[in-house]
Amino acid sequence: FFFQAEDGIRDFCLSRGLGDVYKRQTQSTWELDSHSLSGKKIRMGGRNSLANLKTVPSVDLTKYQGVWYQIESNAPYSRDVDCVTATYTLQDDGTIRVKNSYRKPNGGSWGEVNGKAYAVESSNSKLKVRFYWILGGNYWITDLDPEYRWVLVVTPEDCYAWILSRTPVLDEEIVTRLRAKISEIGLDLNQFKRTRHDVQSVSYTHLTLPTIYSV
């Protein structure tokens, strides 16, 4: 659901100095989908699938929109940068405008990726996300706080997951519980990395950032 590129798109991004933010995946498309917590043990790397995992019963997209801070992830293209956020804005036509922002490590430059998402089921817990005209995939919401303060998102085909929060810091008790769920579905917790957020840059998601590509 964050920055992923294939072939020419990947080369385009790398040519602009993004380095390891963009990683070539084992599939030509990527999807962000929700999952249940009853999956069997799987191996990291994208060749296995979590497609049988369940999503949450329903999602109110009006409540879901807004800024989400990445707390932890095992996705190589988003775990190795700082200050990662996703901003979702519901549009009049029912689609969602997506803005993924990040900062290169050690106080590096800011970057941004723009896209669009739309629900594929009436529950709104499974979304399709598209960046540029080639790049698309699934976004599954597998666990969601009733007050929409935190969420667990999974891309089943690549076996990547994200813990997101409305604030740059999430209560450790909640993080521990979500990590337990991640482990239960078979993902290796050793592959997850805590995202660094600059406390002094809480408003950075509202900055005008250089756009890498957009729909």
Side-chain angles (χ1 to χ4, degrees), residues 107-205:
S109 60
W110 292 92
E112 177 182 301
V113 181
N114 293 315
K116 182 183 295 185
Y118 59 92
V120 296
E121 293 185 353
S122 58
S123 67
N124 295 328
S125 60
K126 290 186 178 181
L127 305 175
K128 287 283 188 180
V129 181
R130 182 168 297 280
F131 298 97
Y132 210 52
W133 79 86
I134 278 180
L135 218 55
N138 297 315
Y139 180 104
W140 288 6
I141 300 172
T142 65
D143 201 353
L144 178 63
D145 174 55
E147 301 300 324
Y148 289 71
R149 294 170 297 185
W150 50 259
V151 65
L152 180 60
V153 176
V154 169
T155 169
E157 66 281 4
D158 290 331
C159 303
Y160 294 145
W162 292 263
I163 296 176
L164 306 177
S165 171
R166 290 298 193 182
T167 57
V169 178
L170 183 59
D171 185 274
E172 285 300 321
E173 183 177 347
I174 297 174
V175 174
T176 298
R177 179 155 56 85
L178 292 176
R179 283 174 58 85
K181 292 184 177 182
I182 290 171
S183 178
E184 187 177 341
I185 66 175
L187 300 183
D188 183 3
L189 290 176
N190 291 324
Q191 299 293 326
F192 281 76
K193 183 178 180 181
R194 185 68 60 94
T195 302
R196 179 180 181 274
H197 289 281
D198 294 332
V199 177
Q200 299 300 321
S201 303
V202 171
S203 62
Y204 55 70
T205 55

Side-chain angles (χ1 to χ4, degrees), residues 95-110:
T95 62
I96 302 170
R97 182 162 56 86
V98 179
K99 182 179 77 171
N100 292 333
S101 305
Y102 65 94
R103 188 174 191 177
K104 292 182 181 180
N106 303 315
S109 60
W110 292 92

Side-chain angles (χ1 to χ4, degrees), residues 3-16:
F3 331 110
Q4 182 170 2
E6 282 294 325
D7 298 325
I9 303 300
R10 169 179 172 272
D11 295 337
F12 171 84
C13 296
L14 290 173
S15 69
R16 279 149 181 78

Side-chain angles (χ1 to χ4, degrees), residues 74-88:
N74 64 338
Y77 42 85
S78 64
R79 73 174 185 175
D80 295 329
V81 289
D82 298 335
C83 304
V84 180
T85 64
T87 303
Y88 306 125

